[in-house]
Amino acid sequence: MGPAQVTDRRANAQNLAAARTPRYAGAMDALEALRLQIEWGADEALADLPLDRLAAPDARPARQPPAAPPVVPPPPASPSLPAPRPARPPAGPAQVRRAQEIAAACATLDALRAALAAFDGCPLAATATNLVFNDGNPESDLMLVGEAPGAEEDRAGRPFIGAAGQLLDRMLASIGIDRTRCLVTNTVFWRPPGNRTPTEAETQVCLPFLHRQIALVRPRHLVLLGGPAARALTGNSAGITRIRGKWTRVQVPGLETAIPTLPMLHPAYLLRSPGSKRDAWADLRALRRSIDAG
């Protein structure tokens, strides 16, 4: 072998050794790893950006901070509710005395109605829709007093306009009396919740206004429809079926003479007990005879 050939073989060996130095080893390993991943089926990047694993650590892309949670707006505020009505003082002796003083100072029915509208001594006024004062002719000689307003009367502000009122109209018409020619009112002037019977305290606190209304109208005949009205004005605690049809006389503050008074069955009772209409007809005939006798 000549000197030139020896020199070439030495150069080739040096080149081969240089290819195996660490400078190129990393690149070769990376290629082998890439080929292996392709053989395993990992042929696409899963990150948003390619990751250079051969780069220096500080050259790697910075990790993105976690996204802030979305801002949830607060729920809309619920609409404000109307302020509750102020509580009415319970009906009691003090309120009854106050009602007597207020009613006695009223010289006309209009003044009495206005005083009732402003009166806060009856708790029924806090739950009712309207004041129900009276209906009909204030100059009439015949006055009828019922128990309490119902739902329809409460909405309209007039007494006896529901089914019971329509029956009352027919009852009066059967003896030749037009409803518009007499005056109709109630023992209490506001509807009790649920159409319940007025309590004794509620009745007593309204009684001075009822007495004053009767005194201002000055009727010649008074008809009390139902047990509550009969108890309130006569003081008789017997049931209405026992005292109906029996004339009595009621003394009202402010009037010199007592008023002839006839307790009768309430029209609402007659709607529930049609068999009692015979008794009601007998009472109506007695009322007609008394009116005719003057």
Side-chain angles (χ1 to χ4, degrees), residues 207 211 214-215 222 232-235 248-261:
L207 192 57
H211 279 157
I214 296 172
L222 195 61
L233 286 172
T234 67
T248 186
R249 302 182 76 86
V250 170
Q251 185 67 55
V252 175
L255 294 180
E256 297 80 9
T257 59
I259 305 173
T261 301

PDB file of all heavy atoms in Angstrom, residues 207 211 214-215 222 232-235 248-261:
ATOM      1  N   LEU A 207    -121.609  49.781  65.372  1.00  0.00           N
ATOM      2  CA  LEU A 207    -122.977  50.079  65.798  1.00  0.00           C
ATOM      3  C   LEU A 207    -123.250  51.577  65.979  1.00  0.00           C
ATOM      4  O   LEU A 207    -124.337  52.041  65.608  1.00  0.00           O
ATOM      5  CB  LEU A 207    -123.289  49.308  67.082  1.00  0.00           C
ATOM      6  CG  LEU A 207    -124.750  49.273  67.527  1.00  0.00           C
ATOM      7  CD1 LEU A 207    -125.637  48.692  66.430  1.00  0.00           C
ATOM      8  CD2 LEU A 207    -124.895  48.458  68.813  1.00  0.00           C
ATOM      9  N   HIS A 211    -126.449  53.319  64.278  1.00  0.00           N
ATOM     10  CA  HIS A 211    -127.450  54.073  65.048  1.00  0.00           C
ATOM     11  C   HIS A 211    -127.604  55.475  64.491  1.00  0.00           C
ATOM     12  O   HIS A 211    -128.739  55.979  64.344  1.00  0.00           O
ATOM     13  CB  HIS A 211    -127.019  54.142  66.523  1.00  0.00           C
ATOM     14  CG  HIS A 211    -127.340  52.909  67.298  1.00  0.00           C
ATOM     15  ND1 HIS A 211    -126.673  52.561  68.459  1.00  0.00           N
ATOM     16  CD2 HIS A 211    -128.251  51.917  67.083  1.00  0.00           C
ATOM     17  CE1 HIS A 211    -127.164  51.434  68.930  1.00  0.00           C
ATOM     18  NE2 HIS A 211    -128.123  51.029  68.118  1.00  0.00           N
ATOM     19  N   ILE A 214    -129.540  55.489  61.210  1.00  0.00           N
ATOM     20  CA  ILE A 214    -130.977  55.325  61.421  1.00  0.00           C
ATOM     21  C   ILE A 214    -131.586  56.621  61.958  1.00  0.00           C
ATOM     22  O   ILE A 214    -132.680  57.044  61.537  1.00  0.00           O
ATOM     23  CB  ILE A 214    -131.239  54.153  62.386  1.00  0.00           C
ATOM     24  CG1 ILE A 214    -130.764  52.842  61.763  1.00  0.00           C
ATOM     25  CG2 ILE A 214    -132.720  54.063  62.740  1.00  0.00           C
ATOM     26  CD1 ILE A 214    -130.810  51.652  62.716  1.00  0.00           C
ATOM     27  N   ALA A 215    -130.878  57.277  62.872  1.00  0.00           N
ATOM     28  CA  ALA A 215    -131.403  58.519  63.441  1.00  0.00           C
ATOM     29  C   ALA A 215    -131.519  59.614  62.391  1.00  0.00           C
ATOM     30  O   ALA A 215    -132.460  60.426  62.429  1.00  0.00           O
ATOM     31  CB  ALA A 215    -130.501  58.979  64.596  1.00  0.00           C
ATOM     32  N   LEU A 222    -138.629  49.465  60.463  1.00  0.00           N
ATOM     33  CA  LEU A 222    -137.276  48.936  60.380  1.00  0.00           C
ATOM     34  C   LEU A 222    -137.365  47.416  60.220  1.00  0.00           C
ATOM     35  O   LEU A 222    -138.064  46.747  60.980  1.00  0.00           O
ATOM     36  CB  LEU A 222    -136.508  49.286  61.659  1.00  0.00           C
ATOM     37  CG  LEU A 222    -134.981  49.140  61.664  1.00  0.00           C
ATOM     38  CD1 LEU A 222    -134.337  50.036  60.617  1.00  0.00           C
ATOM     39  CD2 LEU A 222    -134.445  49.490  63.063  1.00  0.00           C
ATOM     40  N   ALA A 232    -127.813  42.722  67.042  1.00  0.00           N
ATOM     41  CA  ALA A 232    -127.136  44.009  67.212  1.00  0.00           C
ATOM     42  C   ALA A 232    -128.105  45.117  67.601  1.00  0.00           C
ATOM     43  O   ALA A 232    -127.775  45.966  68.442  1.00  0.00           O
ATOM     44  CB  ALA A 232    -126.398  44.387  65.924  1.00  0.00           C
ATOM     45  N   LEU A 233    -129.296  45.117  67.037  1.00  0.00           N
ATOM     46  CA  LEU A 233    -130.213  46.242  67.252  1.00  0.00           C
ATOM     47  C   LEU A 233    -131.286  45.962  68.296  1.00  0.00           C
ATOM     48  O   LEU A 233    -131.841  46.909  68.878  1.00  0.00           O
ATOM     49  CB  LEU A 233    -130.868  46.641  65.927  1.00  0.00           C
ATOM     50  CG  LEU A 233    -129.936  47.378  64.966  1.00  0.00           C
ATOM     51  CD1 LEU A 233    -130.583  47.559  63.608  1.00  0.00           C
ATOM     52  CD2 LEU A 233    -129.535  48.739  65.532  1.00  0.00           C
ATOM     53  N   THR A 234    -131.604  44.711  68.560  1.00  0.00           N
ATOM     54  CA  THR A 234    -132.619  44.418  69.575  1.00  0.00           C
ATOM     55  C   THR A 234    -131.999  43.917  70.879  1.00  0.00           C
ATOM     56  O   THR A 234    -132.661  43.964  71.922  1.00  0.00           O
ATOM     57  CB  THR A 234    -133.613  43.362  69.071  1.00  0.00           C
ATOM     58  OG1 THR A 234    -132.934  42.103  68.922  1.00  0.00           O
ATOM     59  CG2 THR A 234    -134.213  43.771  67.730  1.00  0.00           C
ATOM     60  N   GLY A 235    -130.760  43.414  70.810  1.00  0.00           N
ATOM     61  CA  GLY A 235    -130.144  42.828  71.996  1.00  0.00           C
ATOM     62  C   GLY A 235    -130.652  41.444  72.318  1.00  0.00           C
ATOM     63  O   GLY A 235    -130.252  40.853  73.321  1.00  0.00           O
ATOM     64  N   THR A 248    -141.284  44.111  67.208  1.00  0.00           N
ATOM     65  CA  THR A 248    -140.712  44.671  68.428  1.00  0.00           C
ATOM     66  C   THR A 248    -140.443  46.140  68.175  1.00  0.00           C
ATOM     67  O   THR A 248    -140.705  46.644  67.078  1.00  0.00           O
ATOM     68  CB  THR A 248    -139.418  43.929  68.820  1.00  0.00           C
ATOM     69  OG1 THR A 248    -138.960  44.409  70.085  1.00  0.00           O
ATOM     70  CG2 THR A 248    -138.332  44.127  67.789  1.00  0.00           C
ATOM     71  N   ARG A 249    -139.955  46.843  69.173  1.00  0.00           N
ATOM     72  CA  ARG A 249    -139.642  48.262  69.013  1.00  0.00           C
ATOM     73  C   ARG A 249    -138.195  48.497  69.444  1.00  0.00           C
ATOM     74  O   ARG A 249    -137.751  47.962  70.459  1.00  0.00           O
ATOM     75  CB  ARG A 249    -140.584  49.147  69.833  1.00  0.00           C
ATOM     76  CG  ARG A 249    -142.054  48.944  69.475  1.00  0.00           C
ATOM     77  CD  ARG A 249    -142.968  49.859  70.275  1.00  0.00           C
ATOM     78  NE  ARG A 249    -142.930  51.237  69.783  1.00  0.00           N
ATOM     79  CZ  ARG A 249    -143.685  51.692  68.785  1.00  0.00           C
ATOM     80  NH1 ARG A 249    -144.523  50.877  68.151  1.00  0.00           N
ATOM     81  NH2 ARG A 249    -143.624  52.951  68.413  1.00  0.00           N
ATOM     82  N   VAL A 250    -137.470  49.247  68.644  1.00  0.00           N
ATOM     83  CA  VAL A 250    -136.050  49.505  68.882  1.00  0.00           C
ATOM     84  C   VAL A 250    -135.854  50.986  69.169  1.00  0.00           C
ATOM     85  O   VAL A 250    -136.299  51.850  68.398  1.00  0.00           O
ATOM     86  CB  VAL A 250    -135.200  49.087  67.660  1.00  0.00           C
ATOM     87  CG1 VAL A 250    -133.762  49.578  67.809  1.00  0.00           C
ATOM     88  CG2 VAL A 250    -135.232  47.566  67.486  1.00  0.00           C
ATOM     89  N   GLN A 251    -135.209  51.265  70.281  1.00  0.00           N
ATOM     90  CA  GLN A 251    -134.886  52.639  70.646  1.00  0.00           C
ATOM     91  C   GLN A 251    -133.484  52.959  70.139  1.00  0.00           C
ATOM     92  O   GLN A 251    -132.515  52.285  70.488  1.00  0.00           O
ATOM     93  CB  GLN A 251    -134.956  52.827  72.154  1.00  0.00           C
ATOM     94  CG  GLN A 251    -134.751  54.255  72.608  1.00  0.00           C
ATOM     95  CD  GLN A 251    -135.903  55.168  72.154  1.00  0.00           C
ATOM     96  OE1 GLN A 251    -137.074  54.891  72.443  1.00  0.00           O
ATOM     97  NE2 GLN A 251    -135.557  56.239  71.439  1.00  0.00           N
ATOM     98  N   VAL A 252    -133.410  54.006  69.321  1.00  0.00           N
ATOM     99  CA  VAL A 252    -132.135  54.403  68.717  1.00  0.00           C
ATOM    100  C   VAL A 252    -131.702  55.731  69.320  1.00  0.00           C
ATOM    101  O   VAL A 252    -132.517  56.664  69.414  1.00  0.00           O
ATOM    102  CB  VAL A 252    -132.273  54.518  67.180  1.00  0.00           C
ATOM    103  CG1 VAL A 252    -130.981  55.048  66.557  1.00  0.00           C
ATOM    104  CG2 VAL A 252    -132.629  53.158  66.581  1.00  0.00           C
ATOM    105  N   PRO A 253    -130.423  55.851  69.744  1.00  0.00           N
ATOM    106  CA  PRO A 253    -129.958  57.150  70.266  1.00  0.00           C
ATOM    107  C   PRO A 253    -130.173  58.263  69.252  1.00  0.00           C
ATOM    108  O   PRO A 253    -129.891  58.109  68.066  1.00  0.00           O
ATOM    109  CB  PRO A 253    -128.460  56.905  70.507  1.00  0.00           C
ATOM    110  CG  PRO A 253    -128.339  55.423  70.682  1.00  0.00           C
ATOM    111  CD  PRO A 253    -129.370  54.816  69.800  1.00  0.00           C
ATOM    112  N   GLY A 254    -130.723  59.373  69.735  1.00  0.00           N
ATOM    113  CA  GLY A 254    -131.000  60.508  68.864  1.00  0.00           C
ATOM    114  C   GLY A 254    -132.439  60.598  68.408  1.00  0.00           C
ATOM    115  O   GLY A 254    -132.825  61.605  67.793  1.00  0.00           O
ATOM    116  N   LEU A 255    -133.234  59.561  68.654  1.00  0.00           N
ATOM    117  CA  LEU A 255    -134.654  59.586  68.296  1.00  0.00           C
ATOM    118  C   LEU A 255    -135.504  59.545  69.563  1.00  0.00           C
ATOM    119  O   LEU A 255    -135.195  58.840  70.514  1.00  0.00           O
ATOM    120  CB  LEU A 255    -135.014  58.397  67.401  1.00  0.00           C
ATOM    121  CG  LEU A 255    -134.373  58.362  66.005  1.00  0.00           C
ATOM    122  CD1 LEU A 255    -134.833  57.121  65.251  1.00  0.00           C
ATOM    123  CD2 LEU A 255    -134.710  59.620  65.215  1.00  0.00           C
ATOM    124  N   GLU A 256    -136.584  60.310  69.524  1.00  0.00           N
ATOM    125  CA  GLU A 256    -137.428  60.403  70.705  1.00  0.00           C
ATOM    126  C   GLU A 256    -138.256  59.150  70.927  1.00  0.00           C
ATOM    127  O   GLU A 256    -138.520  58.751  72.071  1.00  0.00           O
ATOM    128  CB  GLU A 256    -138.360  61.614  70.598  1.00  0.00           C
ATOM    129  CG  GLU A 256    -137.652  62.958  70.536  1.00  0.00           C
ATOM    130  CD  GLU A 256    -137.117  63.258  69.133  1.00  0.00           C
ATOM    131  OE1 GLU A 256    -137.465  62.488  68.191  1.00  0.00           O
ATOM    132  OE2 GLU A 256    -136.366  64.233  68.977  1.00  0.00           O
ATOM    133  N   THR A 257    -138.724  58.544  69.866  1.00  0.00           N
ATOM    134  CA  THR A 257    -139.607  57.377  69.990  1.00  0.00           C
ATOM    135  C   THR A 257    -138.945  56.149  69.381  1.00  0.00           C
ATOM    136  O   THR A 257    -138.108  56.254  68.474  1.00  0.00           O
ATOM    137  CB  THR A 257    -140.949  57.631  69.269  1.00  0.00           C
ATOM    138  OG1 THR A 257    -140.698  57.898  67.879  1.00  0.00           O
ATOM    139  CG2 THR A 257    -141.674  58.824  69.890  1.00  0.00           C
ATOM    140  N   ALA A 258    -139.336  54.998  69.881  1.00  0.00           N
ATOM    141  CA  ALA A 258    -138.818  53.736  69.366  1.00  0.00           C
ATOM    142  C   ALA A 258    -139.438  53.430  68.006  1.00  0.00           C
ATOM    143  O   ALA A 258    -140.552  53.876  67.684  1.00  0.00           O
ATOM    144  CB  ALA A 258    -139.111  52.609  70.351  1.00  0.00           C
ATOM    145  N   ILE A 259    -138.731  52.663  67.207  1.00  0.00           N
ATOM    146  CA  ILE A 259    -139.155  52.366  65.835  1.00  0.00           C
ATOM    147  C   ILE A 259    -139.747  50.960  65.786  1.00  0.00           C
ATOM    148  O   ILE A 259    -139.134  50.005  66.277  1.00  0.00           O
ATOM    149  CB  ILE A 259    -137.959  52.456  64.863  1.00  0.00           C
ATOM    150  CG1 ILE A 259    -137.266  53.811  64.972  1.00  0.00           C
ATOM    151  CG2 ILE A 259    -138.407  52.213  63.423  1.00  0.00           C
ATOM    152  CD1 ILE A 259    -135.983  53.900  64.163  1.00  0.00           C
ATOM    153  N   PRO A 260    -140.925  50.789  65.184  1.00  0.00           N
ATOM    154  CA  PRO A 260    -141.454  49.435  64.970  1.00  0.00           C
ATOM    155  C   PRO A 260    -140.489  48.633  64.099  1.00  0.00           C
ATOM    156  O   PRO A 260    -140.095  49.069  63.019  1.00  0.00           O
ATOM    157  CB  PRO A 260    -142.786  49.675  64.257  1.00  0.00           C
ATOM    158  CG  PRO A 260    -143.165  51.078  64.609  1.00  0.00           C
ATOM    159  CD  PRO A 260    -141.869  51.825  64.732  1.00  0.00           C
ATOM    160  N   THR A 261    -140.130  47.452  64.601  1.00  0.00           N
ATOM    161  CA  THR A 261    -139.058  46.681  63.961  1.00  0.00           C
ATOM    162  C   THR A 261    -139.504  45.239  63.758  1.00  0.00           C
ATOM    163  O   THR A 261    -140.074  44.619  64.659  1.00  0.00           O
ATOM    164  CB  THR A 261    -137.791  46.715  64.835  1.00  0.00           C
ATOM    165  OG1 THR A 261    -137.380  48.084  65.014  1.00  0.00           O
ATOM    166  CG2 THR A 261    -136.658  45.943  64.185  1.00  0.00           C
TER     167      THR A 261
END
